[in-house]
């Protein structure tokens, strides 16, 4: 990984990346991120009671949106931004006009690599997004574009230019992103293993995309990065980032874009309450067994070349195929359609 | 990883695993492996002039086969075992009667992990083979069965039992397994990155399987582990392990078996001559652009439930589809058919 002190190999992209943070509380965690986040513009999306005042440490360049702002800006389309879950970050994706977005949860702190060096998560995500992906053939030495690595023998030469990278999914030291049953069974498990790798999730494979530490190329995939309606008043919770990940992955597979996972790590400080989570998740745990085969079966017409086309088609397929499983999906499909309308309205030239 | 000193968590399987070593020279490298290899039976397959005497350090339990033995045992079917490349190791797979095989090149030595501890490659391969794989959904925290790891949120519960593991593909520190063009361009590149991970190559993805440091479940996949005819007198070389890997992977995908890659590392001491390799490889570099789309298109009838059925069918498809590209493939397809006949003859109850 390039050193932050070497500008030649350290693309800062400070005018091309927004950091989107959903929160319900004072953002003291930003103090820890100051050396890495301060050059960037922050988009803070306040969940919960808009009357509550959130403290933000001085010296950051930010804009803060609360529910009143969302309602005012989106009008009737604001129903697509759900409440009391982490989905409200999507509003930040809508409002950003930058090429890249990094989103992070406010319980994630700066991790250290095995040498004790603090990890600049933004820089690693940028490196991941600026170098190609390898979705069409698995490279056993991981990211072939990294210093000291390359394509191994047997890797087809015609594929060595790689594919544009749409998503960089980072990981977590300390508290891993487990579901509530796993947390209930293993309350004390901590992730202490630093795996020094970035790799591309192969074409045709689904994965779990956590929203805690996630960057993406908004120009390539922004309109599909919708975290759905899994918040207050819905029968299913804690699936917002998973849902987005499956939507994004099937669309990336169609478009020939890559999705990377691995470095950078952040330090995830606290697990949410597994008892409360179980209540939110349990319906999803059933539903998921239907969702995965559905996403595995999704195909788009060859002539679809925009994210908007694919996403609109996906919302129709959700309505038609998953709507039979539970009426909840019909509502979700409607939210997806509304989201795309909102995206087009606020980003008329992007898609 | 379990410690070698803890028998409860350290499955030795000394009566269930053979170590297969193809060679043309004295096996002094075994001295370095003595603490790890001595408990096992070695099958040494001598390539080149059978009159040459090969020295093997004392104290190892081994059998040595040379070309005369191969001809005597296989008769006319010995044409399937090629010469002057690493494919002769396949004869060891045929002769083994064990459940597991580990094969290693004689220029691979014991590597150390970042803490300086010598890596017991056999033990790690056994761990990989004894624990399930996850080919149907990508787990972002890598091997979920490893101590300190698990399935992440969003991983379908119905898939958490995993799939039987057929192959464990280990990696190399020092000299990476590059093709000759890459070596010519980067003669001094060394692999110094220890990535502390084992992962499953997802279903539907092809990868480069190197034969240098490779273990497999012979009962599950042995008949497909054929390194082809890429040796003396053939128009294409240095593709024997790659070819085997693609055959194995498409058959594992059909059978629902897993292929793992990652740990353990060995220390690969010397690169073969990139100028000589280029001569052997160059035809393959062209051919490969036909091979990969071919393997991507391979499908087997649903009712095929044995490796023999799949492999016989594969040899027919190679003849029919790749035979058009070059007559070399027709010969290769014939060798594949002969190999399967030899396997059935020597292992009548295994398939």
């Amino acid at each position: 990984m390039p050193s932050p002190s070497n500008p030649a190999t350290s693309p800062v992209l400070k005018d091309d990346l927004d950091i989107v943070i959903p929160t319900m509380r004072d953002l003291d965690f930003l103090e820890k991120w100051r050396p890495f986040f301060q050059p960037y513009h922050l988009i803070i999306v306040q969940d919960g009671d808009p009357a509550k005042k959130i403290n933000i440490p001085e010296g950051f360049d930010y804009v803060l949106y609360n529910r009143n702002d969302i309602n005012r800006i989106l009008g009737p389309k604001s129903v697509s931004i759900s409440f009391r879950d982490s989905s409200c970050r999507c509003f930040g994706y809508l409002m950003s006009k930058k090429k890249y977005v990094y989103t992070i949860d406010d319980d994630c702190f700066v991790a250290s690599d095995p040498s004790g060096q603090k990890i600049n998560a933004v820089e690693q995500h940028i490196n991941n997004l600026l170098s190609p992906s390898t979705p069409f053939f698995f490279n056993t030495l991981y990211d072939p574009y990294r210093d000291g690595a390359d394509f191994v023998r047997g890797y087809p030469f015609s594929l060595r230019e790689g594919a544009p990278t749409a998503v960089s999914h980072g990981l977590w030291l300390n508290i891993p992103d487990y579901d509530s049953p796993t947390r209930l069974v293993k309350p004390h498990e901590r992730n202490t293993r630093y795996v020094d790798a970035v790799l591309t999730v192969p074409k045709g494979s689904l994965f779990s995309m956590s929203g805690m530490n996630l960057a993406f190329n908004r120009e390539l995939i922004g309109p599909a990065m919708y975290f759905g309606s899994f918040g207050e008043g819905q029968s299913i919770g804690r699936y917002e980032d998973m849902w987005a990940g499956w939507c994004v992955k099937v669309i990336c597979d169609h478009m020939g874009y890559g999705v990377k996972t691995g470095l950078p790590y952040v330090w995830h400080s606290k697990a949410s309450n597994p008892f409360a989570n179980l209540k939110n998740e349990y319906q999803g745990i059933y539903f998921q067994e239907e969702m995965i085969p559905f996403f595995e079966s999704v195909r788009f017409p060859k002539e679809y070349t925009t994210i908007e086309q694919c996403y609109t088609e996906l919302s129709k397929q959700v309505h038609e195929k998953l709507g039979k499983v539970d009426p909840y999906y019909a509502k979700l499909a409607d939210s997806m359609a509304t989201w795309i309308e909102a995206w087009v309205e606020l980003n008329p030239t992007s898609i």
Side-chain angles (χ1 to χ4, degrees), chain A residues 9-253:
Chain A
T9 57
S10 169
V12 176
L13 293 183
K14 80 175 184 57
D15 298 323
D16 295 309
L17 181 139
D18 282 334
I19 298 178
V20 173
I21 303 167
T23 193
M24 301 181 71
R25 52 186 160 174
D26 295 339
L27 288 180
D28 305 329
F29 93 118
L30 283 174
E31 278 304 344
K32 303 287 183 188
W33 285 104
R34 191 179 286 278
F36 303 128
F37 287 3
Q38 201 154 328
Y40 298 93
H41 179 64
L42 311 184
I43 299 177
I44 298 163
V45 187
Q46 179 177 350
D47 200 356
D49 180 5
K52 185 181 164 185
K53 164 118 181 75
I54 283 177
N55 287 326
I56 294 155
E58 285 200 359
F60 286 93
D61 166 32
Y62 71 89
V63 59
L64 171 75
Y65 298 106
N66 64 25
R67 191 72 218 181
N68 294 337
D69 300 310
I70 296 172
N71 292 344
R72 176 176 49 78
I73 293 167
L74 290 184
K77 298 192 184 74
S78 66
V79 292
S80 64
I81 305 297
S82 77
F83 238 81
R84 303 279 182 190
D85 67 351
S86 77
S87 306
C88 65
R89 69 178 91 218
C90 290
F91 185 72
Y93 311 161
L94 272 182
M95 298 307 289
S96 171
K97 295 293 165 280
K98 304 283 175 65
K99 185 168 181 182
Y100 302 100
V101 163
Y102 174 44
T103 184
I104 184 169
D105 280 4
D106 62 7
D107 62 349
C108 290
F109 292 85
V110 181
S112 297
D113 68 20
S115 76
Q117 178 127 11
K118 300 250 182 244
I119 298 164
N120 183 343
V122 190
E123 184 187 46
Q124 178 68 48
H125 276 299
I126 289 171
N127 289 341
N128 294 349
L129 290 170
L130 291 184
S131 67
S133 292
T134 54
F136 309 118
F137 196 96
F138 188 93
N139 193 51
T140 54
L141 286 183
Y142 310 101
D143 180 359
Y145 304 105
R146 204 172 165 193
D147 278 356
D150 212 308
F151 292 96
V152 295
R153 182 166 56 92
Y155 203 103
F157 281 82
S158 59
L159 295 177
R160 293 191 187 195
E161 284 195 8
T165 303
V167 176
S168 168
H169 175 258
L171 300 176
W172 340 275
L173 290 173
N174 195 37
I175 309 281
D177 194 13
Y178 289 164
D179 48 66
S180 52
T182 306
R183 282 240 61 86
L184 288 165
V185 171
K186 290 177 155 181
H188 302 299
E189 186 151 292
R190 298 292 178 267
N191 186 24
T192 58
R193 185 174 292 125
Y194 181 94
V195 174
D196 186 13
V198 178
L199 49 98
T200 300
V201 183
K203 182 177 178 182
S205 287
L206 294 173
F207 77 118
S208 303
M209 188 183 81
S210 164
M212 267 197 279
N213 171 27
L214 177 71
F216 58 92
N217 183 321
R218 201 177 153 278
E219 284 183 7
L220 285 185
I221 200 67
M225 198 52 94
Y226 175 51
F227 278 43
S229 265
F230 295 92
E232 198 170 56
Q234 305 302 338
S235 55
I236 160 175
R238 296 214 350 125
Y239 272 84
E240 59 270 25
D241 42 3
M242 299 298 129
W243 180 263
W246 299 324
C247 294
V248 159
K249 186 60 169 55
V250 295
I251 292 176
C252 282
D253 282 354

